[in-house]
Amino acid sequence: MTLSAVVFDLDNSLYPETDYLLGVLRYFGQQYDIDVAPALAAYRPDMRNPGSDILGHLLTLAGCMTPQNHQRLFSLYTSAPLTLALYPQAEPLLKALRSQGVKLGVLTNGIVAVQRNKVASLGLDAWVDGVCYARELGAEKEKPHPEAFSRCCAMLGVPAEQALMVGDDWNNDIQGAQAVGMQTFWLEHDNGRSLAEMKMWLNQHA
Ligand SMILES: [Mg+2]
C-alpha cells in the first residue's frame, strides 16, 4: 500500500487520558491546598460516561464539591501546565515513520482549549506535522463526520487513500475514517492491539 501519512487519534491512542485528568486534579489540589488523595484513590475509568460530570464527581469524592471549586477545576482542565508522557511505544514509532518521510497528524474531538492543553502537555507539536481540532469545524462535524477526516488529510496535503487512521474508538476513529477511504488500524487495547502491534502490522503491509 502507498502510505503518505499517518493520522493518530489523541486520547487513549497516543497517551492514557487518565494521566491528564488526574494530573489536572493533582495540580488543582496543589494550587488550592486541598487534599485530593481520596478522589485519586477512588477514581475508576468506568466513572467516565458520556455526558457525566467527571470533574464534579471527582470533587465530590474529594469532599470539596462547590460551584467555585468546580469552576476552578474546569479552568485548570483547559490550562494546567502539566508535563505528560506519550505511551512508551509512541516515540520510536513516530520517529521511524518520520524518518521514512511519512507525514504525521493528530485528529481529535473535544473542547479545543482542553485538547490544545493536552497537546502542549505532551510536547506533541514537536513530533507531528499538524494537529486538527475537529470541534473547530463545529461540534456536529467532529469524528466520525467525514469532514473531520477530509480536513485533516487536506492539512497534511495527502489524499485520504494514502493516509492511515489510528485510533482506539471503533465508531469515531475507524468507521469514520473508512467512510472517506482512509486505511485504518484499530488500537483495540483490550485485545492487546497497541502501538507496538501497529508497528509490526505496518512492517508487514508496507
Ligand atoms: Mg481516543
Side-chain angles (χ1 to χ4, degrees), residues 17-89:
E17 203 269 344
T18 298
D19 286 1
Y20 184 78
L21 177 69
L22 299 186
V24 170
L25 182 64
R26 273 189 209 99
Y27 188 79
F28 164 84
Q30 289 160 10
Q31 290 297 297
Y32 297 103
D33 198 18
I34 291 172
D35 179 15
V36 296
L40 293 169
Y43 175 78
R44 295 188 321 273
D46 65 6
M47 289 172 181
R48 309 204 66 181
N49 298 311
S52 75
D53 175 16
I54 185 63
L55 300 184
H57 194 56
L58 289 170
L59 292 171
T60 302
L61 289 170
C64 63
M65 175 57 191
T66 64
Q68 186 187 36
N69 279 339
H70 196 279
Q71 197 277 328
R72 286 167 163 171
L73 184 57
F74 181 76
S75 174
L76 289 177
Y77 198 54
T78 68
S79 65
L82 304 181
T83 302
L84 298 179
L86 298 172
Y87 283 127
Q89 316 96 317

Coordinates of all heavy atoms in Angstrom, one line a residue, residues 17-89:
E17 N -5.4 8.9 28.7 CA -6.1 10.2 29.0 C -6.3 10.3 30.5 O -6.3 11.5 31.0 CB -7.4 10.3 28.3 CG -7.9 11.7 28.1 CD -8.8 12.1 29.2 OE1 -9.3 11.3 30.0 OE2 -9.0 13.3 29.3
T18 N -6.3 9.2 31.3 CA -6.4 9.3 32.7 C -5.3 10.1 33.3 O -5.4 10.8 34.3 CB -6.4 7.9 33.3 OG1 -7.6 7.2 32.8 CG2 -6.5 7.9 34.8
D19 N -4.1 10.0 32.7 CA -2.9 10.8 33.2 C -3.2 12.3 33.2 O -2.8 13.0 34.1 CB -1.7 10.5 32.3 CG -1.1 9.2 32.5 OD1 -1.6 8.4 33.3 OD2 -0.1 8.9 31.9
Y20 N -3.9 12.7 32.2 CA -4.2 14.1 32.1 C -5.3 14.5 33.2 O -5.1 15.5 33.9 CB -4.8 14.5 30.7 CG -5.0 16.0 30.5 CD1 -4.0 16.9 30.3 CD2 -6.3 16.5 30.6 CE1 -4.2 18.2 30.2 CE2 -6.6 17.9 30.5 CZ -5.5 18.7 30.3 OH -5.7 20.1 30.2
L21 N -6.4 13.8 33.2 CA -7.5 14.1 34.1 C -6.9 14.1 35.6 O -7.2 15.1 36.3 CB -8.6 13.0 34.0 CG -9.7 13.1 35.0 CD1 -10.6 14.4 34.7 CD2 -10.6 11.9 34.9
L22 N -6.2 13.1 36.0 CA -5.7 13.0 37.4 C -4.6 14.0 37.6 O -4.4 14.5 38.7 CB -5.4 11.6 37.7 CG -6.5 10.6 37.6 CD1 -6.1 9.2 38.1 CD2 -7.8 11.0 38.3
G23 N -3.8 14.3 36.5 CA -2.8 15.3 36.6 C -3.4 16.7 36.9 O -2.8 17.4 37.8
V24 N -4.5 17.0 36.3 CA -5.2 18.3 36.5 C -5.7 18.3 37.9 O -5.6 19.3 38.6 CB -6.3 18.5 35.5 CG1 -7.2 19.7 35.9 CG2 -5.7 18.7 34.1
L25 N -6.3 17.2 38.4 CA -6.8 17.1 39.7 C -5.7 17.3 40.8 O -5.9 18.1 41.7 CB -7.5 15.8 40.0 CG -8.2 15.6 41.3 CD1 -9.3 16.6 41.5 CD2 -8.7 14.2 41.5
R26 N -4.6 16.7 40.6 CA -3.4 16.9 41.5 C -3.0 18.4 41.5 O -2.7 18.9 42.6 CB -2.2 16.0 41.0 CG -2.3 14.6 41.6 CD -1.0 13.9 41.3 NE -1.3 12.5 41.2 CZ -1.5 11.8 40.1 NH1 -1.3 12.4 38.9 NH2 -1.8 10.5 40.1
Y27 N -2.9 18.9 40.3 CA -2.5 20.3 40.2 C -3.5 21.3 40.9 O -3.0 22.2 41.7 CB -2.3 20.7 38.7 CG -1.7 22.1 38.5 CD1 -0.4 22.2 38.6 CD2 -2.5 23.2 38.2 CE1 0.2 23.5 38.4 CE2 -2.0 24.4 38.0 CZ -0.6 24.6 38.1 OH -0.1 25.8 37.9
F28 N -4.7 21.0 40.8 CA -5.8 21.7 41.5 C -5.6 21.6 43.0 O -5.6 22.6 43.7 CB -7.2 21.1 41.1 CG -8.3 21.5 42.0 CD1 -9.0 22.7 41.8 CD2 -8.7 20.7 43.0 CE1 -10.0 23.1 42.6 CE2 -9.8 21.0 43.8 CZ -10.4 22.2 43.7
G29 N -5.3 20.4 43.5 CA -5.0 20.2 44.9 C -3.9 21.1 45.4 O -3.9 21.7 46.5
Q30 N -2.8 21.1 44.6 CA -1.6 21.9 45.0 C -1.9 23.4 45.0 O -1.6 24.1 45.9 CB -0.5 21.6 44.0 CG 0.1 20.3 44.1 CD 0.9 19.8 42.9 OE1 1.1 20.7 42.0 NE2 1.3 18.6 42.8
Q31 N -2.6 23.8 43.9 CA -2.9 25.3 43.8 C -3.8 25.8 44.9 O -3.6 26.9 45.4 CB -3.6 25.5 42.5 CG -2.8 25.4 41.2 CD -1.6 26.3 41.2 OE1 -1.8 27.5 41.2 NE2 -0.4 25.8 41.3
Y32 N -4.8 25.0 45.4 CA -5.7 25.5 46.3 C -5.6 24.8 47.7 O -6.4 25.0 48.5 CB -7.2 25.3 45.8 CG -7.4 26.2 44.5 CD1 -7.3 25.6 43.2 CD2 -7.5 27.6 44.6 CE1 -7.5 26.4 42.1 CE2 -7.7 28.3 43.5 CZ -7.6 27.7 42.2 OH -7.8 28.5 41.1
D33 N -4.5 24.1 47.9 CA -4.2 23.4 49.1 C -5.4 22.6 49.6 O -5.9 22.7 50.7 CB -3.8 24.5 50.2 CG -3.1 23.9 51.4 OD1 -2.6 22.7 51.2 OD2 -3.1 24.5 52.4
I34 N -5.8 21.7 48.7 CA -7.0 20.8 49.0 C -6.4 19.4 48.9 O -5.7 19.1 47.9 CB -8.1 21.1 48.0 CG1 -8.8 22.4 48.3 CG2 -9.2 20.0 48.1 CD1 -9.8 22.9 47.3
D35 N -6.8 18.6 49.8 CA -6.4 17.2 49.8 C -7.3 16.4 48.8 O -8.4 16.1 49.1 CB -6.5 16.5 51.2 CG -6.1 15.1 51.2 OD1 -5.4 14.6 50.2 OD2 -6.4 14.4 52.2
V36 N -6.7 16.0 47.6 CA -7.5 15.3 46.6 C -7.2 13.8 46.6 O -7.7 13.1 45.8 CB -7.2 15.9 45.2 CG1 -7.7 17.3 45.1 CG2 -5.8 15.8 44.8
A37 N -6.4 13.4 47.6 CA -6.0 12.0 47.7 C -7.2 11.0 47.7 O -7.1 10.0 47.0 CB -5.1 11.7 48.9
P38 N -8.3 11.3 48.4 CA -9.4 10.4 48.4 C -10.0 10.2 47.0 O -10.4 9.1 46.6 CB -10.4 11.0 49.3 CG -9.6 12.0 50.2 CD -8.5 12.4 49.4
A39 N -10.0 11.3 46.2 CA -10.5 11.2 44.9 C -9.6 10.4 44.0 O -10.0 9.6 43.1 CB -10.8 12.6 44.3
L40 N -8.3 10.6 44.1 CA -7.3 9.9 43.3 C -7.4 8.4 43.6 O -7.3 7.6 42.7 CB -5.9 10.4 43.6 CG -5.6 11.8 43.2 CD1 -4.2 12.3 43.7 CD2 -5.6 11.9 41.6
A41 N -7.6 8.1 44.9 CA -7.7 6.7 45.3 C -8.9 6.0 44.8 O -8.9 4.8 44.4 CB -7.5 6.5 46.8
A42 N -10.0 6.8 44.7 CA -11.3 6.2 44.4 C -11.6 6.2 42.9 O -12.5 5.5 42.4 CB -12.4 6.9 45.1
Y43 N -10.8 6.9 42.1 CA -11.1 7.0 40.7 C -11.0 5.7 40.0 O -10.1 4.9 40.2 CB -10.1 8.0 40.0 CG -10.3 8.0 38.5 CD1 -11.3 8.7 38.0 CD2 -9.5 7.3 37.7 CE1 -11.5 8.8 36.6 CE2 -9.7 7.3 36.3 CZ -10.7 8.0 35.8 OH -10.9 8.0 34.4
R44 N -12.0 5.4 39.2 CA -12.0 4.3 38.3 C -12.4 4.7 36.9 O -13.3 5.6 36.7 CB -13.0 3.2 38.7 CG -12.7 2.6 40.1 CD -13.7 1.4 40.3 NE -15.1 1.7 39.8 CZ -16.0 2.3 40.6 NH1 -15.8 2.7 41.8 NH2 -17.2 2.6 40.0
P45 N -11.8 4.2 35.8 CA -12.1 4.6 34.5 C -13.5 4.5 34.1 O -14.0 5.3 33.3 CB -11.2 3.7 33.6 CG -10.1 3.2 34.5 CD -10.7 3.2 35.9
D46 N -14.3 3.6 34.7 CA -15.7 3.4 34.3 C -16.6 4.6 34.9 O -17.8 4.6 34.6 CB -16.2 2.1 34.7 CG -16.3 1.8 36.2 OD1 -16.0 2.8 36.9 OD2 -16.6 0.7 36.6
M47 N -16.0 5.5 35.6 CA -16.7 6.7 36.1 C -16.9 7.6 34.9 O -17.7 8.6 35.0 CB -16.0 7.4 37.2 CG -16.0 6.7 38.5 SD -14.9 7.5 39.7 CE -15.1 6.4 41.1
R48 N -16.2 7.5 33.8 CA -16.3 8.4 32.7 C -17.3 7.9 31.7 O -17.0 7.2 30.8 CB -14.9 8.5 32.0 CG -13.8 8.8 33.0 CD -12.7 9.5 32.4 NE -13.1 10.8 32.0 CZ -12.2 11.6 31.4 NH1 -11.0 11.2 31.1 NH2 -12.6 12.8 31.0
N49 N -18.5 8.4 31.9 CA -19.5 8.1 30.9 C -19.9 9.3 30.1 O -19.8 10.4 30.6 CB -20.8 7.6 31.6 CG -20.5 6.3 32.4 OD1 -20.0 5.4 31.9 ND2 -20.9 6.3 33.7
P50 N -20.2 9.2 28.8 CA -20.5 10.3 28.0 C -21.6 11.1 28.7 O -22.6 10.6 29.2 CB -21.1 9.7 26.7 CG -20.5 8.3 26.7 CD -20.3 7.9 28.1
G51 N -21.4 12.4 28.8 CA -22.4 13.3 29.4 C -22.3 13.4 30.9 O -23.0 14.2 31.5
S52 N -21.5 12.5 31.6 CA -21.4 12.6 33.0 C -20.4 13.7 33.4 O -19.5 14.0 32.6 CB -21.0 11.3 33.6 OG -19.6 11.1 33.4
D53 N -20.6 14.3 34.6 CA -19.8 15.4 35.0 C -18.6 14.8 35.8 O -18.7 14.8 37.1 CB -20.6 16.4 35.8 CG -19.7 17.5 36.5 OD1 -18.6 17.7 36.0 OD2 -20.2 18.1 37.4
I54 N -17.6 14.4 35.2 CA -16.5 13.7 35.9 C -15.7 14.7 36.8 O -15.3 14.3 37.9 CB -15.5 13.1 34.9 CG1 -14.4 12.2 35.6 CG2 -14.8 14.1 33.9 CD1 -14.9 11.1 36.4
L55 N -15.6 15.9 36.4 CA -14.9 16.9 37.3 C -15.7 17.0 38.6 O -15.2 17.0 39.7 CB -14.7 18.2 36.7 CG -13.9 18.2 35.4 CD1 -13.7 19.6 34.8 CD2 -12.6 17.5 35.5
G56 N -17.0 17.2 38.5 CA -17.9 17.3 39.7 C -17.8 16.0 40.6 O -17.8 16.1 41.8
H57 N -17.8 14.9 39.9 CA -17.7 13.6 40.6 C -16.4 13.5 41.4 O -16.4 13.1 42.5 CB -17.8 12.5 39.6 CG -18.1 11.2 40.2 ND1 -19.2 10.9 41.0 CD2 -17.4 10.0 40.1 CE1 -19.1 9.7 41.4 NE2 -18.1 9.1 40.9
L58 N -15.3 13.9 40.8 CA -14.0 13.9 41.5 C -14.0 14.8 42.7 O -13.5 14.5 43.7 CB -12.9 14.3 40.5 CG -12.5 13.2 39.4 CD1 -11.6 13.8 38.4 CD2 -11.9 12.0 40.0
L59 N -14.6 16.0 42.5 CA -14.6 16.9 43.6 C -15.5 16.4 44.8 O -15.2 16.5 46.0 CB -15.2 18.3 43.2 CG -14.3 19.1 42.2 CD1 -15.0 20.3 41.6 CD2 -13.0 19.5 42.9
T60 N -16.6 15.7 44.4 CA -17.4 15.1 45.5 C -16.6 14.0 46.2 O -16.7 13.9 47.4 CB -18.7 14.5 44.8 OG1 -19.4 15.5 44.1 CG2 -19.6 13.8 45.8
L61 N -15.9 13.2 45.4 CA -15.1 12.2 46.1 C -14.0 12.8 47.0 O -13.6 12.2 48.0 CB -14.4 11.3 45.0 CG -15.2 10.4 44.2 CD1 -14.5 9.8 43.0 CD2 -15.8 9.3 45.0
A62 N -13.5 13.9 46.6 CA -12.5 14.6 47.5 C -13.2 15.4 48.6 O -12.5 16.0 49.5 CB -11.7 15.6 46.6
G63 N -14.5 15.4 48.6 CA -15.2 16.1 49.7 C -15.1 17.6 49.6 O -15.2 18.3 50.6
C64 N -15.0 18.2 48.4 CA -14.8 19.6 48.3 C -15.6 20.2 47.1 O -15.2 21.1 46.4 CB -13.4 20.0 48.1 SG -12.6 19.3 46.6
M65 N -16.8 19.5 46.8 CA -17.6 20.0 45.7 C -18.4 21.2 46.0 O -19.3 21.2 46.8 CB -18.6 18.8 45.3 CG -19.6 19.2 44.2 SD -18.7 19.7 42.7 CE -20.2 20.3 41.8
T66 N -17.9 22.3 45.4 CA -18.7 23.6 45.5 C -18.6 24.2 44.1 O -17.8 23.8 43.3 CB -18.0 24.6 46.4 OG1 -16.7 25.0 45.9 CG2 -17.8 24.1 47.8
P67 N -19.6 25.1 43.8 CA -19.6 25.7 42.4 C -18.2 26.4 42.1 O -17.7 26.3 41.0 CB -20.7 26.7 42.5 CG -21.7 26.1 43.5 CD -20.8 25.4 44.5
Q68 N -17.7 27.0 43.2 CA -16.4 27.7 43.0 C -15.3 26.7 42.6 O -14.5 27.0 41.7 CB -16.0 28.5 44.2 CG -14.8 29.4 43.9 CD -14.3 30.1 45.2 OE1 -14.3 29.6 46.3 NE2 -13.8 31.3 45.0
N69 N -15.2 25.6 43.4 CA -14.2 24.7 43.1 C -14.4 24.0 41.7 O -13.4 23.7 41.0 CB -14.1 23.6 44.2 CG -13.3 24.1 45.4 OD1 -12.5 25.0 45.3 ND2 -13.6 23.5 46.5
H70 N -15.6 23.8 41.4 CA -15.9 23.2 40.0 C -15.4 24.2 38.9 O -14.8 23.7 38.0 CB -17.4 23.0 39.9 CG -17.8 22.1 38.8 ND1 -17.9 22.5 37.5 CD2 -18.0 20.7 38.7 CE1 -18.2 21.5 36.7 NE2 -18.3 20.4 37.4
Q71 N -15.7 25.4 39.1 CA -15.2 26.4 38.1 C -13.7 26.4 38.1 O -13.1 26.5 37.0 CB -15.8 27.8 38.5 CG -15.8 28.8 37.4 CD -14.4 29.5 37.3 OE1 -13.7 29.7 38.3 NE2 -14.0 29.8 36.1
R72 N -13.1 26.4 39.2 CA -11.6 26.4 39.3 C -11.0 25.2 38.6 O -10.0 25.2 37.9 CB -11.1 26.4 40.7 CG -11.3 27.7 41.5 CD -11.1 27.4 43.0 NE -10.9 28.7 43.7 CZ -10.9 28.7 45.0 NH1 -11.1 27.7 45.8 NH2 -10.7 29.9 45.6
L73 N -11.6 24.0 38.9 CA -11.1 22.8 38.3 C -11.3 22.8 36.8 O -10.4 22.4 36.0 CB -11.8 21.5 38.9 CG -11.2 20.2 38.5 CD1 -9.7 20.0 38.7 CD2 -12.0 19.0 39.2
F74 N -12.4 23.2 36.3 CA -12.6 23.3 34.9 C -11.6 24.2 34.2 O -11.1 23.9 33.1 CB -14.1 23.7 34.5 CG -14.3 23.7 33.0 CD1 -14.4 22.5 32.3 CD2 -14.2 24.9 32.3 CE1 -14.5 22.5 30.9 CE2 -14.3 24.9 30.9 CZ -14.5 23.7 30.2
S75 N -11.4 25.3 34.9 CA -10.5 26.3 34.3 C -9.1 25.7 34.2 O -8.4 25.8 33.1 CB -10.4 27.5 35.2 OG -9.4 28.4 34.8
L76 N -8.7 24.9 35.2 CA -7.4 24.2 35.1 C -7.4 23.1 34.1 O -6.3 22.8 33.5 CB -7.0 23.7 36.5 CG -6.6 24.7 37.5 CD1 -6.3 24.1 38.9 CD2 -5.4 25.5 37.1
Y77 N -8.6 22.5 33.8 CA -8.7 21.5 32.8 C -8.3 22.0 31.4 O -7.9 21.3 30.6 CB -10.1 21.0 32.8 CG -10.3 19.6 32.2 CD1 -9.6 18.5 32.6 CD2 -11.3 19.4 31.2 CE1 -9.8 17.3 32.0 CE2 -11.5 18.2 30.6 CZ -10.7 17.1 31.0 OH -10.9 15.9 30.4
T78 N -8.4 23.3 31.3 CA -8.1 23.9 30.0 C -6.7 24.5 30.0 O -6.2 24.9 29.0 CB -9.0 25.0 29.5 OG1 -8.9 26.1 30.5 CG2 -10.5 24.5 29.6
S79 N -6.0 24.6 31.2 CA -4.8 25.4 31.2 C -3.7 24.9 32.1 O -2.6 25.5 32.1 CB -5.2 26.8 31.7 OG -5.7 26.7 33.0
A80 N -3.9 23.8 32.9 CA -2.9 23.4 33.9 C -1.6 23.1 33.1 O -1.6 22.3 32.1 CB -3.4 22.2 34.7
P81 N -0.5 23.6 33.6 CA 0.8 23.4 32.9 C 1.4 22.1 33.3 O 2.3 22.0 34.1 CB 1.7 24.6 33.4 CG 1.1 24.9 34.7 CD -0.3 24.5 34.7
L82 N 1.0 21.0 32.7 CA 1.4 19.7 33.1 C 2.5 19.2 32.1 O 2.7 19.8 31.0 CB 0.3 18.7 33.0 CG -1.0 19.0 33.8 CD1 -2.0 17.9 33.7 CD2 -0.6 19.2 35.3
T83 N 3.3 18.2 32.5 CA 4.2 17.5 31.7 C 3.8 16.1 31.6 O 3.9 15.4 32.7 CB 5.7 17.7 32.2 OG1 6.0 19.1 32.3 CG2 6.6 17.0 31.2
L84 N 3.4 15.6 30.5 CA 2.9 14.2 30.4 C 3.7 13.4 29.4 O 4.3 14.0 28.5 CB 1.4 14.2 30.0 CG 0.4 14.8 30.9 CD1 -1.0 14.7 30.3 CD2 0.4 14.2 32.3
A85 N 3.7 12.1 29.5 CA 4.4 11.3 28.6 C 3.5 10.6 27.6 O 2.4 10.2 28.0 CB 5.2 10.2 29.4
L86 N 4.0 10.4 26.4 CA 3.3 9.5 25.4 C 3.4 8.1 25.9 O 4.2 7.7 26.7 CB 3.9 9.7 24.0 CG 3.8 11.1 23.4 CD1 4.7 11.1 22.1 CD2 2.4 11.5 23.1
Y87 N 2.6 7.2 25.3 CA 2.8 5.8 25.5 C 4.2 5.4 25.2 O 4.8 6.0 24.2 CB 1.9 4.9 24.7 CG 0.4 4.8 25.1 CD1 -0.6 5.1 24.2 CD2 0.1 4.4 26.4 CE1 -1.9 5.0 24.6 CE2 -1.2 4.3 26.8 CZ -2.2 4.6 25.9 OH -3.5 4.5 26.3
P88 N 4.9 4.5 25.9 CA 6.3 4.2 25.6 C 6.6 3.8 24.2 O 7.6 4.2 23.6 CB 6.6 3.0 26.5 CG 5.5 2.9 27.5 CD 4.3 3.7 27.0
Q89 N 5.6 3.2 23.5 CA 5.9 2.8 22.1 C 5.7 3.9 21.1 O 6.1 3.8 20.0 CB 4.9 1.7 21.7 CG 4.7 0.6 22.7 CD 3.4 0.8 23.5 OE1 3.2 2.0 24.0 NE2 2.6 -0.2 23.8

